[in-house]
Amino acid sequence: MRRATMYDHRRLGRELDLFDTDPLMGAGLPYWLPDGAIVRHELEEYVRGVERAAGYRHVYSPVLGKRELYEISGHWSHYSDDMFPPMRLGGEEVVLRPSLCPHHALIYRSRSHSYRELPLRMAEVGGMYRAELSGVLGGLTRVRAVQLNDAHIFCTADQAVGEARDALRLIRRAYDDLGLRAARFRLSLPGEGGKYVAGEGMWERAGGLLRDVLDAEGLSYEAVAGEAAFYGPKIDVQVVDSAGREATLSTVQIDFHQPERFGLFYVGADGVKHRPVMVHRSVIGSVERAVAQLVEEHGGAFPVWLAPVQLVVLPVAEEQRAHAEALVRRALALGLRVESVGPEGGSLGARIRGARLVPYQAVIGAREADGGQVAVRLRDGRRVGVMPGEELLRRVGERVVARGGALWEGGA
């Protein structure tokens, strides 16, 4: 229980000034403070970068859609209890979207496509809204406004397994870069009742393809009935929070349903129209849940590239302030996130303790200032020596580019 108390993201997120809520904004609608906004921005830019490198093209789509759109997709008949009520605009009803996939289907449908264009990988970090009940809301893990890292791959049936497998590999790479751990992999299948769209053959085919993906990756998994999306089975990457609660962070899904509902097609080599397969995948899930998991996994000591402040400069006395400010200016010019805390912040020991979550501390005393150097401390307590300020900035920049969790070359 001690770890749950220490690393509860709700408490630590507020202590670190990452996010907060206000009753006038409403329950389940957190806002991001400057340091939290840095973490969110870096996370979003990271996932966009790895997606671009993997051949994804990014789009933007609106957070509203006509009710008819979600009737076509099946969300209205199978998911409306989790959606906000429609709003009337003239003679139409519009809805805050509960998912991005219907919008991406329309974007795909807006142009004709040849088999030569496939797979077409479309990605977005976009807002969606879910009418969560007040009793289940909590911190960043259960919210009503979600920023989802979502993507949809339109491909041929022969390409579906390969695309889903590559998506799963992308997820596992991201977990390595973020310092996250998957608790287990789950194959989520349909259960009993009317929650799921009809089409037994479709479900069996999609489920079989996802089993092929998991088996090809050599991953052990548990098949669980009743956890599928209403339109298709999915691979869920499960994580565990500091209190031992399990949740889904990332997903890969194979969908035969929505391409049929929206009449999607591509023109094959035979000149005939064919139905594409839609692979849904989310590398980090919602930004909110991902940040909550990162806070709890790292206790606020984020990997260097994600840390709101990457370097703190600590002049021992007022006489070294000018040297500290010069180092700060050079660090800022290199794109590093840096702060200087002078003697007004208390004793040197107090300032070091106050910066305990900052990856690097550069102490400048009289001797260091005379030689144009800094004494470097890492947040894990290691002292790695005295070196020129430019060398420290180079090393920090290398750690930022390298990502991962190592603070120093060749070490943890």
Side-chain angles (χ1 to χ4, degrees):
M1 293 300 294
R2 177 173 166 77
R3 185 175 188 273
T5 301
M6 289 177 60
Y7 293 100
D8 186 316
H9 84 276
R10 294 167 296 182
R11 181 187 65 81
L12 197 52
R14 287 174 170 84
E15 286 182 4
L16 299 178
D17 287 333
L18 300 178
F19 67 89
D20 213 330
T21 57
D22 190 289
L24 282 178
M25 292 189 190
L29 299 170
Y31 58 85
W32 298 84
L33 294 161
D35 280 356
I38 288 172
V39 176
R40 171 177 163 173
H41 175 81
E42 290 297 318
L43 191 58
E44 291 178 357
E45 287 303 298
Y46 163 75
V47 78
R48 288 189 183 102
V50 297
E51 286 172 341
R52 282 193 297 270
Y56 288 81
R57 304 287 300 278
H58 290 92
V59 299
Y60 290 104
S61 57
V63 298
L64 291 170
K66 292 172 64 174
R67 171 175 165 170
E68 181 184 357
L69 171 61
Y70 306 108
E71 291 174 341
I72 293 171
S73 70
H75 284 82
W76 191 254
S77 58
H78 294 276
Y79 198 74
S80 58
D81 288 346
D82 296 300
M83 296 171 61
F84 281 94
M87 297 172 282
R88 292 203 65 83
L89 288 177
E92 297 180 339
E93 289 187 325
V94 295
V95 181
L96 286 167
R97 68 177 173 192
S99 174
L100 278 68
C101 44
H103 294 250
H104 288 187
L106 292 183
I107 293 173
Y108 177 90
R109 196 176 73 176
S110 69
R111 305 287 188 274
S112 61
H113 300 281
S114 162
Y115 71 97
R116 295 187 180 90
E117 299 174 61
L118 305 186
L120 191 156
R121 306 180 186 99
M122 186 184 303
E124 180 175 3
V125 179
M128 66 179 194
Y129 298 84
R130 294 183 174 174
E132 300 277 12
L133 298 176
S134 297
V136 302
L137 298 172
L140 295 177
T141 55
R142 293 294 291 269
V143 293
R144 288 171 171 160
V146 175
Q147 286 294 316
L148 186 68
N149 157 233
D150 206 7
H152 298 92
I153 304 161
F154 302 89
C155 61
T156 68
D158 291 341
Q159 294 168 333
V161 168
E163 289 299 311
R165 185 177 180 180
D166 287 346
L168 190 56
R169 289 176 176 176
L170 198 61
I171 291 167
R172 297 175 72 190
R173 173 193 162 184
Y175 280 38
D176 287 342
D177 288 343
L178 293 165
L180 295 176
R181 294 170 291 175
R184 68 185 178 109
F185 296 87
R186 185 179 73 192
L187 178 59
S188 295
L189 301 171
E192 300 296 327
K195 174 183 174 182
Y196 305 99
V197 297
E200 183 177 346
M202 175 195 76
W203 285 97
E204 290 180 353
R205 185 182 180 194
L209 293 176
L210 291 177
R211 287 182 189 275
D212 290 344
V213 171
L214 289 163
D215 291 340
E217 289 297 283
L219 295 172
S220 60
Y221 62 92
E222 181 182 358
V224 180
E227 295 293 339
F230 72 83
Y231 49 81
K234 57 195 173 93
I235 297 171
D236 288 326
V237 184
Q238 301 296 101
V239 295
V240 175
D241 69 11
S242 59
R245 295 174 298 232
E246 185 178 296
T248 300
L249 185 59
S250 311
T251 61
V252 180
Q253 306 167 43
I254 290 180
D255 177 9
F256 294 101
H257 171 72
Q258 292 196 64
E260 180 75 27
R261 296 282 291 183
F262 283 100
L264 306 184
F265 69 89
Y266 66 92
V267 178
D270 56 3
V272 176
K273 292 181 179 180
H274 298 268
R275 189 78 65 207
V277 178
M278 197 169 172
V279 177
H280 306 237
R281 59 106 282 232
S282 182
V283 172
I284 59 168
S286 78
V287 174
E288 290 79 9
R289 187 181 290 276
V291 171
Q293 192 69 22
L294 284 164
V295 170
E296 299 201 350
E297 189 75 38
H298 299 294
F302 295 106
V304 176
W305 62 278
L306 267 179
V309 179
Q310 295 163 325
L311 169 66
V312 63
V313 184
L314 304 171
V316 173
E318 189 64 33
E319 289 75 15
Q320 290 88 51
R321 186 181 294 274
H323 298 277
E325 291 177 350
L327 183 63
V328 167
R329 288 194 295 272
R330 296 201 298 275
L332 290 171
L334 293 171
L336 300 177
R337 296 187 290 275
V338 58
E339 291 181 353
S340 177
V341 182
E344 72 282 356
S347 68
L348 181 60
R351 286 180 278 155
I352 289 172
R353 291 190 295 274
R356 68 191 183 282
L357 297 179
V358 177
Y360 306 98
Q361 302 169 358
V363 179
I364 304 178
R367 183 180 302 175
E368 288 81 19
D370 289 343
Q373 296 184 312
V374 294
V376 181
R377 300 173 61 105
L378 308 184
R379 69 176 166 211
D380 59 13
R382 283 182 290 164
R383 303 184 185 194
V384 294
V386 175
M387 63 190 68
E390 294 298 333
E391 181 180 348
L392 171 62
L393 299 184
R394 177 184 63 80
R395 288 176 178 246
V396 174
E398 289 174 350
R399 292 296 91 202
V400 171
V401 171
R403 297 199 174 96
L407 289 176
W408 209 246
E409 295 136 337

